[in-house]
Amino acid sequence: MRVSIASGKGGTGKTTVSAALASIWTEAVGTPVVAVDCDVEEPNLHLFLRPLITDTHIANIEIPVIDVERCTRCGSCREICQFAAITILGDTPMVFDEMCHGCGACAAICPFGAIGAGARELGRIEEGAAGAITFLNGRLRVGEAMSPALIRAVLARLEALLVEREAEPAPDVICDAPPGVSCPAGAAVSRSDAIVLVTEPTPFGIHDFRLAVDAFSPLGKPMAVVINRSGLPADELEGICREASLPILARIPDDRAVAEAYARGRLLPEVSPAYRELTLKLAKDVASFVPEVRHA
């Protein structure tokens, strides 16, 4: 089972929940776990899990390289590129690397075979382990804008890693998705079996929670909710959950002890025995709300 922990906005406690679930998943559910940080612009899951990184891979995006001797300047590549990453200025074909999404359409359509493949570095993928937890994350190169491409590369590495370990008991995957509802978040949750939305009962939290529900509902994946900083009036938030038939799996209190633990990079189950029980129950509830996936 693959679960993405997502949110409509940053700062709601998404990584807190991801790290807490990963730390206690095997004890609660009985299966090994892979923790994946897909918030490639600002990865911070490692701050809580403290993995030992054992492998680093450079992730590239494929970009077109034009053979000016073979190119006839017919313009087919320019016409098919949706991102204006390739054009012809005067008699000179040009590629704007930073705008290229690496789809390869220009090379595929070129009737003269004048476009080959080059590469631009997106960032790097790190993998390792935090105790029994297998860890994987991506780090976007400074200045790089194509975070969805790196997220897809991280998920592709996850697929390869799972194939490499197919002789072992199949792990569950907990993915810490990037905040927001745009392309990076969509790329992160696209291969998940279920989505857990973390939100908070503040005006900003409620506003962005609506956006997240609207954005992710069309994916048709099971969704559930964790309310963080619970304690403020949450009638509107709970009303949205009722309207969208979203189960609320847990309420994490607005507790100074939790904030202090977060500031020190400590895990939620470490705050107190009560929070450990809360996290154990949450892990079991997350696992059980998609039973058809777990037992497929």
Side-chain angles (χ1 to χ4, degrees), residues 213 223-225 239-248:
V213 172
M223 292 202 299
V225 177
I240 298 171
C241 292
R242 283 194 298 273
E243 291 172 12
S245 300
L246 300 177
I248 299 173

Side-chain angles (χ1 to χ4, degrees), residues 42-273:
E42 297 182 62
N44 56 10
L45 188 60
H46 65 285
L47 297 177
F48 295 92
L49 297 180
R50 299 183 178 88
L52 175 64
I53 301 299
T54 53
D55 287 294
T56 300
H57 313 272
I58 298 299
N60 295 318
I61 187 171
E62 189 173 291
I63 59 171
V65 176
I66 300 176
D67 183 341
V68 294
E69 299 298 325
R70 302 180 72 173
C71 175
T72 65
R73 283 63 166 171
C74 71
S76 298
C77 54
R78 176 179 57 194
E79 293 170 10
I80 200 167
C81 182
Q82 300 180 37
F83 309 104
I86 189 166
T87 190
I88 301 171
L89 291 179
D91 191 45
T92 306
M94 297 185 68
V95 175
F96 302 99
D97 294 355
E98 302 295 333
M99 299 170 68
C100 177
H101 283 55
C103 69
C106 53
I109 202 171
C110 178
F112 305 101
I115 299 180
R120 188 184 81 240
E121 182 180 332
L122 288 171
R124 64 181 190 267
I125 300 171
E126 299 172 333
E127 58 186 273
I133 304 169
T134 301
F135 181 84
L136 192 62
N137 77 358
R139 290 181 181 273
L140 199 66
R141 180 178 61 83
V142 174
E144 176 58 57
M146 298 293 176
S147 59
L150 181 56
I151 292 170
R152 287 191 290 271
V154 171
L155 295 177
R157 178 57 197 150
L158 171 65
E159 299 290 346
L161 188 150
L162 295 177
V163 169
E164 291 169 7
R165 300 183 179 186
E166 62 183 357
E168 304 173 14
D172 291 320
V173 177
I174 295 174
C175 172
D176 187 12
V181 295
S182 58
C183 295
V189 307
S190 61
R191 299 186 193 179
S192 293
D193 300 310
I195 301 170
V196 173
L197 293 174
V198 181
T199 185
E200 60 184 21
T202 64
F204 303 107
I206 293 168
H207 174 268
D208 287 3
F209 179 60
R210 284 187 186 278
L211 296 177
V213 172
D214 290 344
F216 297 135
S217 292
L219 299 177
K221 299 176 186 294
M223 292 202 299
V225 177
V226 171
I227 298 178
N228 194 19
R229 303 187 183 94
S230 178
L232 298 171
D235 294 348
E236 186 175 356
L237 197 57
E238 294 177 358
I240 298 171
C241 292
R242 283 194 298 273
E243 291 172 12
S245 300
L246 300 177
I248 299 173
L249 299 184
R251 292 173 172 81
I252 301 173
D254 186 17
D255 185 343
R256 183 183 178 89
V258 175
E260 289 180 349
Y262 175 85
R264 291 181 169 83
R266 294 175 58 205
L267 297 161
L268 186 64
E270 297 173 347
V271 174
S272 70

